[in-house]
Amino acid sequence: MGLRFRKSVKICKGVRVNFSKSGASLSMGVKGARYTIGPKGTRRTVGIPGTGIYYTSSSSWGSGKKKSNKPSSYKPASKNAVVSSQDGKTTYTFTPEHVRVFKEYIDKITNFHKKCNDCVDWMYIENLEPPFVEGTVGPKQKEAETAYLNAKPTLLEKFNKSAFENRKQNLFELIQTGAAEDSDALEAWKNNVKVAKGVMSGDINSYYEAIEAADPFVDLSEYGTDIEFGTDNPRYVEVEFSCDPEEIIPIDTISLTSTGKVSHSNYSKTDYYALCQDFVCSYAIRIARELFALLPVENVIVHAIEKKIQGVNTRVILSVSFEKSVFDSLDFSKNIDASDFVETCIHNMDFKKTQGFKTVDKLDTGVIDLKINPNNTNSVREKKLKNEKVNVELPWGWLSENDEVIDLLEKDYWEKRNTYYSSSKTVDEKINNLKNLIASFLKMKADFESKGVYFEKYFNDHFYTNAGKKYDPVKLWKKELEELEDGYLDAKEAEEIRSKALPTLQNDVLQIIKDNDGILQKELVKRFHPCLKNDVLNVLWELTKDGVITKEKSGNSNILKIQ
C-alpha cells in the first residue's frame, strides 16, 4: 500500500525507487522521488560535528534474519516475571523494579512526540569553510607527519633500537590513517555543502539525501517497519509508516498498590485501545516534528499503515496533515496528549474506545483544501486585512490552493539560481549569471507583492527568512557582485594564464623536478604564476598518489624527487 501519487518499485528489502511522469527521479535527479528507510540498511558515515548532517560514503542491505517488531527493551509483563507452577497453574512473581521498567516503557511508546532533533541551519552548512584546501596536506596527516619527523628515541629505546623502529613504524602508519581521515572529512564537507544548496533551492532529491544522512528516526525503528517518504513539491512531504500496535502494546499491566505490593492484571479494552491510539498518534507527530526540523516544508502528511506480523491484514488506520506554523507555536515537551492533538488537525481516523482502529481512507491534498476552505473566502479576508494593515497569517489550505501560481512565479528565479551556482565557470559567466539572478529575484518579489498580502507574506517568509533568522539575499549577492567586478582584471588575467598553462602543467612540473632533483615544493611553486598555485599543488598530489614522485618533509616544505 504505497504512496498513491506515484508509481513505486521495490528493488530490495527496505529500499524503494519511485517513478513519476518525469522519469526515475532517484537516478535521474528529477521530481517525484522517494527514499524508504528499512530495518536492514547499513552505511558508513562521516560528518561535520554540530551540524547533525553526515556524508554517506557507502550503503548496503544485508540478508540477515528478520528482526521482530518487539523492542528488545521490553517484554510483556508476564514474561518479565519469575514463573512458578503449582497444581497445574502458572503464577508470576513481580518486583517493584518490574513495575518501574514497565512504566518507563509505556511512557516511551506514548510520548515519542516529546523528543525531537534540533533544527538544521542549512545556510550555515552551505557557507562552511572546507577543512583544508584540496590538494594540500590535511590537518590530521600534517599532525601525524610532524609527530613522525620529531620522534626521538627515549632513554630505554636508545638501548633497544628495535623498539624505537617499531614506534616509528606505528607513527608512519598513522600518517596514512590521517590522510584517509582528512580525505573523508573533505568529502563530507563537499557533500554537506552540495546537499545544503540543494535543500535551500528546493531540490527534492536533496531532501532525500538529507533524510538519509541525518537518519532522524533511528530510535523509532524498533517500533515500526518501513518509513517511506514521497513528494512532488518542495513545500510538503508525504509519509507512510507501517506498524502493528497490538504487537507493541502489552495486554497486561503491573502496578504498585497503596500498600507497596505489585498488582498484575489485564488491561481493560478501553485502556488497551487508548494506549494503541496514543502510540500511533505520538509516532506520527514525532515523524512530522523531525521533518519540520530537517526540511523547509510547510506541511507533513502522515499515513499510518497497520501491518499485521502474520501478513493477514494491511490497512490505513490514520491519515493526518500537520502544519509547521501550528507546530512552531507549541511546546511539545509539556503535557500534550498525542491523540487529542491529532483530533485538532485535518485527519481521517475512525477510532472506537472498545474496538480500536477502523480502516480509513488516505487524505488527499486537494480534499484537505476543500474541507478547510469550502467557500473560498480568502480573497475577502485578504482585502480586509490589507485595508486594515494588520498582521497576517496564511490560512489553512492557502498554499495548496495557490500551488500552481506560486510555482509559476518562482520558476524563473530557481532557474537563474541553479544556473549561477552550478554553471558559472569564468568570471564573465559569474558576473552575468549573478546579475540575472538578482534581477530575477527582484522581479519575483514585485510579482508576489502585486498579488496581495498573502502572497507577500509567503514571499517574505520563504525568501527573507532562513532557520528563523531574517536575512537579505540581494544584499549578499550585490556584495559578491561588487567583489567580482573589483577583481575583474586580475581574474581575467588569471583565466588567460590558466587556460594557456593547464594543458601542459603536469609535464612542466615533472620536468622541473627532473631537472632539479630534490627541489623544495615551495621553490617549485614559486616558478609558476600565483594564480596557478592550487593547480600546481593538485598536480603534485596526483603525481605523488600515482607513485611518480616522492615527498619528504623538510621544515615547512617538502623535498620532491622522481620515484
Side-chain angles (χ1 to χ4, degrees), residues 226-243:
D226 292 348
I227 301 177
E228 302 172 11
F229 309 85
T231 185
D232 291 313
N233 188 308
R235 286 186 290 277
Y236 76 90
V237 176
E238 193 166 355
V239 187
E240 284 182 4
F241 73 90
S242 302
C243 66

Side-chain angles (χ1 to χ4, degrees), residues 124-139:
Y124 168 77
I125 297 171
E126 182 182 13
N127 292 294
L128 280 173
E129 294 294 330
F132 61 96
V133 177
E134 188 171 11
T136 64
V137 177

Side-chain angles (χ1 to χ4, degrees), residues 370-388:
L370 290 174
K371 286 183 178 179
I372 294 301
N373 189 30
N375 298 319
N376 192 23
T377 58
N378 287 352
S379 59
V380 177
R381 181 169 177 260
E382 179 178 353
K383 185 175 180 181
K384 181 175 183 294
L385 287 167
K386 192 164 187 177
N387 291 336
E388 295 178 359

Side-chain angles (χ1 to χ4, degrees), residues 18 47 68-69 81 87 139 183 230 257 261 389 433 467 479 504 537:
N18 289 282
S68 169
N69 276 12
D87 299 330
S183 177
T257 65
K261 293 183 178 180
K389 296 182 179 180
N433 291 340
K479 182 179 179 181
T504 62
L537 293 176

Side-chain angles (χ1 to χ4, degrees), residues 449-498:
E449 290 175 349
S450 69
K451 287 191 170 292
V453 67
Y454 284 140
F455 281 90
E456 185 177 354
K457 164 70 174 173
Y458 168 86
F459 180 85
N460 290 334
D461 286 350
H462 285 74
F463 294 99
Y464 281 109
T465 305
N466 183 64
K469 300 176 182 177
K470 296 289 184 182
Y471 83 110
D472 187 347
V474 174
K475 185 177 180 180
L476 298 177
W477 289 329
K478 286 185 176 179
K479 182 179 179 181
E480 190 174 347
L481 179 61
E482 182 180 347
E483 291 172 352
L484 286 171
E485 291 177 336
D486 287 345
Y488 180 79
L489 293 179
D490 291 338
K492 288 296 289 184
E493 180 185 3
E495 284 178 6
E496 185 176 353
I497 293 171
R498 290 184 74 242

Side-chain angles (χ1 to χ4, degrees), residues 490 493-498 528-535:
D490 291 338
E493 180 185 3
E495 284 178 6
E496 185 176 353
I497 293 171
R498 290 184 74 242
F528 295 90
H529 192 279
C531 71
L532 292 170
K533 180 179 179 180
N534 287 336
D535 299 308

